[in-house]
Amino acid sequence: MGGSPGGRSGIRRAAAAAFVVVLLVGTILAIEARSVARLDSVSGDLPVRLYSRPPMLVLGQPIDVDALEAHLSRVGYTRVREGAVGAGQFAAGRREWVIVNRRIARLGPLASGQAVRVRLDRWNRVTSLEDREGQRYRAVPLEPELIAVASGERTRDRTPVRLAELPPHLLDAVLTVEDQRFYRHRGLDYVRIGAAALANMRDGRIVQGGSTITQQLARSLFLDSRRTFVRKAREAAMALTLESRYSKDRILEAYLNEVYLGQEGGLAIHGVGRAAEVYFGKDASHLDLAESALLAGLIRGPNLYSPSRRPEVARARRDLVLRLMAERGVIAESDRLEASTAPLPDRARGGEPPRARYYADYVLRELGANDLASPGGRTVITSLDPQLQRVATAAVSDGLAALESEHPGLVERSDASGSALQAALVAVDPRTGDVLAMVGGRDYGSSQYNRAAHARRQPGSSFKPIVTLSALAVAPGERRDGSPITLATVLSDEPLEVETPAGPWQPINYDGRFHGQVTLREALERSLNVPFARLGLEVGAERIVSMARRVGIDSRLKAYPSIALGAFEVTPLEMARAYGVLAAGGYRAGTRPVLAVLGPDGEVSVTERDDGERAASESVAYLVTSALRGAVERGTGRSLRAHGFSGAVAAKSGTTNGFRDGWFIGYTPTLAVAVWVGFDDGQSLGLPGSRVALPVFARFMASATGRYGDEGPWANTGFDPPAGLEVVDVNPETGLRAGPGCPGRPEIFVRGTAPRRSCSPYGYYSDWRADGNRYDVLRRLAEVRARRDR
């Protein structure tokens, strides 16, 4: 018996409604697929990679063999003890090393596959550098460390490859295990879908997938990984759209550039190009059959089949891929057997990259991240020294921990205000302006604000060397008495009151006392505020601002009397740059965080840089250095020795009103380092810079150059005095040349500026304005005899 007319009518209406719903859903999916599924929209979605400065092997220079091996291991090279040395490997003997660079296109000449034989003498100095053809070199760069990968929201860490450049056995391996009918279907493989459905029903669980390579690509690029019917429907619609728009080769190329293949140093590996570099240390175009099968096997589960974590499982998976390829007839049985005996990649896993997130942000900000994130991606070779960066990070972290342990009140202040104690450290090479290390805060995860480059804080007494440089550069004719300002110039440390638009200004010393007459050297070494306030008034605030600009301080400064005591805000990077001028003998090098920018094929585009300029004379800069070395030996920096650093260094501490900021800045001829410690909200530390920032500085210098400053590539080369100086004994109370009955101590002068008059009751030197640099010995003896006769 048939159903009632009403029942049949209801079924027809339900069927019609279902048809409309299906049609509507299909239309929506098609519209979405047509608007979203475009490979062009992701073709330029590549990261910007930042690398450290490349280590250099230089003929005649000594090398630290332990540091060299550590670097090669960190970048993923393997030490071999016998047999041929391949790409990404090195052999280390007592007097001879062989290093074979990997071939990575984006690194250009820094990873060109070159092999170099390095011969050493008994002191580990390089005596010969030559390649396999016998070509000799004066210097050879090594592969640098990757320090950061800068990416946008959709950026993947991958090295783009072209299908035509890949070996056929890699394509065959991928198609064999992922989509054997790829070139015969139109995005959906209905035969495979049916087979997968039967297998899953037979086992009662999902044991086989039916997704084509096109579907996998659509899911990876445009969808999430949730297993829902709606997602599968969207995936199918997008796969059909991709197939209608692009050729099979274009789709396969996009897939091979996008497929996920594991992790490296916390970064996801996408694409066979990047995977070839990570797992085998080579370009994907040079993969052999065994390596291709291993990568193809990883696609199903990169973590499950990881050759480093689960080598036996990875080997079995690789051999399965090889067997399937042989069964398909794409490789010969003899090739399968040979590839099955190949060892798994014995590549050393690279060590942790230096924590340089603040540095990376600074570099990208300087270059302009938007300009770099262009199609094809860029590689940036920075000036960062990875070992110094590690040392700087540890110095800040350990230094703050020790400081809080010794002074629990700092923790209490932090807990009460919710503002953590912070520190910043920046190190530059004064000779070149290279930014070698930068730590912008205590923890990047908690605060991305880069205090080293962008925080403006009052420098306090650490600004006094700039005032001194300004004073010593004053020409004698510009002073009322016609005498030059020297380190022996006597300054008054007595109460001072200066009328300003803001009211009376009465500077006081840190100890609250006055010390009478002091020399400029003593005022700088002991960091006496009142004498420097007087010096600033005589030199002129405008002249001090001008000198600050010349040594590299760009922050806003006002020509007020208080500038002599560091009352205006600057950044740690600016202060490191300014002290670097003193270290370089008065020459200001342009700040250089980037050495070069490379295109996707390794073509070099050297970044523009400021070539610098002379900010002060070499002799005047040396005088300031001499006084700052005295500050370490006798003045406010003398506790540096007790904190473990005994090397020769010129340095100065700084403390601001209310103890809100603590500074310690110092330099050698090869390193200029600025350390700042404080709270972001400006609350008091309760301690001077010599108690909070100096210990961090000491940790850094001792680790970077050894306890005595004579170890490693940044060892102190010596503070050599320039020509044009002289040493004269001067009485510190009068500032006059010492003599019989008027004792003195040695002081350094620019030739011709030492006092000619003596405080000795037995004689005197010619007047300041007399010509020549010597006193008339005969005249002096005659005058002494005449006084005796009377």
Side-chain angles (χ1 to χ4, degrees):
M1 296 176 60
S4 66
R8 288 193 296 273
S9 176
I11 292 173
R12 284 195 296 272
R13 285 196 299 272
F19 176 77
V20 170
V21 170
V22 171
L23 182 63
L24 181 61
V25 170
T27 301
I28 294 173
L29 291 175
I31 293 173
E32 179 194 41
R34 298 293 294 181
S35 63
V36 173
R38 295 183 180 276
L39 296 181
D40 296 340
S41 64
V42 296
S43 60
D45 191 21
L46 296 172
V48 177
R49 290 185 176 85
L50 275 65
Y51 284 85
S52 71
R53 65 192 302 118
M56 298 292 294
L57 301 175
V58 181
L59 195 64
Q61 294 294 317
I63 63 172
D64 183 332
V65 293
D66 293 334
L68 176 59
E69 181 168 359
H71 168 77
L72 292 172
S73 297
R74 279 196 301 269
V75 296
Y77 281 52
T78 303
R79 181 173 181 173
V80 295
R81 302 188 181 278
E82 58 184 20
V85 182
Q89 297 179 333
F90 67 96
R94 188 175 181 183
R95 295 284 178 261
E96 182 174 292
W97 286 51
V98 176
I99 304 170
V100 182
N101 280 349
R102 297 182 286 195
R103 186 182 299 275
I104 301 176
R106 68 169 175 274
L107 285 175
L110 300 179
S112 60
Q114 179 188 37
V116 60
R117 187 180 301 276
V118 187
R119 292 188 174 91
L120 309 173
D121 64 14
R122 60 187 296 184
W123 296 282
N124 287 332
R125 289 180 302 205
V126 178
T127 61
S128 174
L129 292 168
E130 61 181 43
D131 60 20
R132 284 171 171 162
E133 285 71 42
Q135 176 69 41
R136 292 178 177 271
Y137 301 89
R138 294 189 61 84
V140 174
L142 299 178
E143 186 177 328
E145 288 190 50
L146 179 68
I147 60 173
V149 177
S151 63
E153 184 179 353
R154 288 283 305 167
T155 302
R156 311 297 180 93
D157 182 16
R158 53 191 173 96
T159 299
V161 295
R162 298 188 181 279
L163 196 66
E165 299 171 351
L166 297 176
H169 46 248
L170 174 61
L171 308 183
D172 290 333
V174 172
L175 293 176
T176 294
V177 293
E178 292 301 320
D179 194 349
Q180 295 184 13
R181 292 166 47 82
F182 174 72
Y183 281 99
R184 297 197 297 273
H185 63 67
R186 298 300 302 168
L188 302 179
D189 188 349
Y190 301 105
V191 174
R192 188 176 181 186
I193 292 172
L198 290 175
N200 294 337
M201 284 189 293
R202 183 171 56 250
D203 282 60
R205 58 189 178 91
I206 296 178
V207 296
Q208 184 174 328
S211 294
T212 64
I213 278 179
T214 314
Q215 287 176 275
Q216 293 179 47
L217 178 62
R219 179 170 65 246
S220 178
L221 291 178
F222 312 117
L223 302 170
D224 57 42
S225 58
R226 289 177 296 178
R227 292 174 174 267
T228 65
F229 174 78
V230 173
R231 195 219 68 189
K232 291 296 292 183
R234 295 172 67 200
E235 175 187 298
M238 290 182 183
L240 293 172
T241 301
L242 288 174
E243 292 273 355
S244 69
R245 283 179 169 160
Y246 304 102
S247 68
K248 285 288 188 178
D249 285 352
R250 179 73 178 86
I251 292 171
L252 182 58
E253 181 180 281
Y255 175 79
L256 292 173
N257 276 303
E258 181 61 27
V259 63
Y260 171 66
L261 289 168
Q263 297 282 132
E264 166 72 353
L267 300 172
I269 303 166
H270 283 267
V272 296
R274 180 65 180 141
E277 295 170 358
V278 170
Y279 292 111
F280 307 109
K282 62 173 64 176
D283 191 278
S285 61
H286 296 91
L287 291 171
D288 62 27
L289 175 59
E291 294 164 344
S292 297
L294 181 66
L295 288 190
L298 282 175
I299 295 174
R300 182 177 177 183
N303 296 321
L304 176 64
Y305 301 114
S306 169
S308 61
R309 297 186 183 93
R310 308 185 69 185
E312 294 306 317
V313 176
R315 183 188 299 276
R317 177 66 175 170
R318 181 201 65 183
D319 293 347
L320 172 62
V321 174
L322 291 169
R323 180 170 60 81
L324 293 175
M325 292 176 71
E327 291 176 357
R328 284 188 65 207
V330 295
I331 61 171
E333 180 64 17
S334 59
D335 293 334
R336 181 191 74 81
L337 292 174
E338 181 180 356
S340 297
T341 63
L344 292 180
D346 185 25
R347 175 180 174 272
R349 305 300 294 176
E352 283 296 314
R355 286 183 282 170
R357 299 289 297 278
Y358 290 110
Y359 189 98
D361 289 350
Y362 165 68
V363 168
L364 292 172
R365 179 167 175 169
E366 289 295 301
L367 290 176
N370 292 334
D371 293 336
L372 285 175
S374 59
R378 299 291 176 88
T379 295
V380 179
I381 308 299
T382 72
S383 59
L384 178 134
D385 182 296
Q387 183 56 28
L388 287 187
Q389 181 65 27
R390 291 184 175 92
V391 167
T393 301
V396 168
S397 177
D398 297 345
L400 289 181
L403 191 60
E404 291 176 331
S405 176
E406 295 169 8
H407 305 281
L410 293 172
V411 179
E412 295 172 4
R413 291 188 185 96
S414 178
D415 292 342
S417 65
S419 177
L421 181 64
Q422 294 289 348
L425 184 153
V426 60
V428 302
D429 184 340
R431 302 163 297 182
T432 62
D434 290 354
V435 182
L436 303 173
M438 178 180 287
V439 180
R442 182 172 197 147
D443 175 38
Y444 185 88
S446 301
S447 171
Q448 292 78 52
Y449 181 52
N450 189 344
R451 297 158 187 84
H454 307 306
R456 288 182 165 82
R457 307 291 291 238
Q458 291 182 351
S461 292
S462 64
F463 197 79
K464 288 173 180 173
I466 300 173
V467 180
T468 305
L469 193 64
S470 306
L472 294 175
V474 173
E478 298 182 49
R479 299 189 75 198
R480 286 190 298 272
D481 63 359
S483 64
I485 298 177
T486 70
L487 292 178
T489 295
V490 176
L491 303 171
S492 174
D493 186 10
E494 300 292 348
L496 173 67
E497 181 175 309
V498 179
E499 290 296 331
T500 71
W505 179 53
Q506 296 176 308
I508 58 173
N509 294 320
Y510 172 72
D511 60 7
R513 297 185 299 171
F514 297 97
H515 305 84
Q517 302 296 100
V518 296
T519 64
L520 174 53
R521 172 185 285 276
E522 185 178 4
L524 183 56
E525 289 181 356
R526 296 174 61 185
S527 196
L528 301 176
N529 290 335
V530 178
F532 262 89
R534 294 184 185 278
L535 182 65
L537 291 172
E538 179 176 355
V539 171
E542 293 83 0
R543 191 188 299 271
I544 296 172
V545 170
S546 176
M547 179 59 74
R549 296 286 180 241
R550 293 209 298 274
V551 299
I553 293 179
D554 299 323
S555 293
R556 184 182 179 187
L557 303 175
K558 294 182 179 180
Y560 291 171
S562 58
I563 193 172
L565 303 184
F568 294 96
E569 297 174 337
V570 295
T571 69
L573 177 59
E574 288 176 325
M575 292 302 289
R577 189 161 55 198
Y579 276 56
V581 171
L582 299 172
Y587 176 78
R588 180 184 64 79
T591 305
R592 187 171 68 164
V594 171
L595 302 181
V597 178
L598 310 181
D601 296 323
E603 64 275 18
V604 179
S605 173
V606 178
T607 58
E608 294 184 4
R609 60 164 295 188
D610 179 2
D611 290 330
E613 61 182 5
R614 179 152 293 282
S617 72
E618 191 174 7
S619 54
V620 167
Y622 185 84
L623 295 184
V624 181
T625 295
S626 170
L628 292 181
R629 293 185 67 183
V632 173
E633 299 304 329
R634 299 176 293 275
T636 56
R638 61 186 180 276
S639 63
L640 188 64
R641 305 316 189 193
H643 281 87
F645 183 68
S646 300
V649 65
K652 182 73 183 72
S653 62
T655 308
T656 58
N657 289 338
F659 299 99
R660 288 190 291 270
D661 302 277
W663 296 78
F664 199 81
I665 312 170
Y667 58 90
T668 70
T670 57
L671 274 178
V673 182
V675 177
W676 168 86
V677 176
F679 290 98
D680 287 339
D681 60 5
Q683 63 177 300
S684 176
L685 292 164
L687 297 165
S690 58
R691 300 281 299 280
V692 294
L694 181 150
V696 177
F697 179 93
R699 287 174 183 269
F700 175 82
M701 292 299 292
S703 297
T705 65
R707 179 181 180 88
Y708 298 101
D710 57 357
E711 300 176 13
W714 304 105
N716 189 343
T717 56
F719 289 102
D720 296 327
L725 298 177
E726 62 179 344
V727 178
V728 173
D729 285 347
V730 175
N731 179 268
E733 296 178 1
T734 63
L736 300 178
R737 191 181 289 244
C742 182
R745 54 190 178 215
E747 185 54 86
I748 306 173
F749 296 88
V750 175
R751 188 176 298 279
T753 64
R756 299 186 183 189
R757 294 182 58 197
S758 173
C759 59
S760 172
Y762 302 105
Y764 60 91
Y765 287 86
S766 57
D767 185 76
W768 286 103
R769 287 172 288 278
D771 293 332
N773 193 38
R774 300 176 181 176
Y775 61 89
D776 189 332
V777 177
L778 294 177
R779 178 185 174 189
R780 181 187 178 201
L781 289 176
E783 291 172 344
V784 170
R785 289 193 191 100
R787 286 197 298 270
R788 186 182 305 137
D789 293 341
R790 289 196 295 269

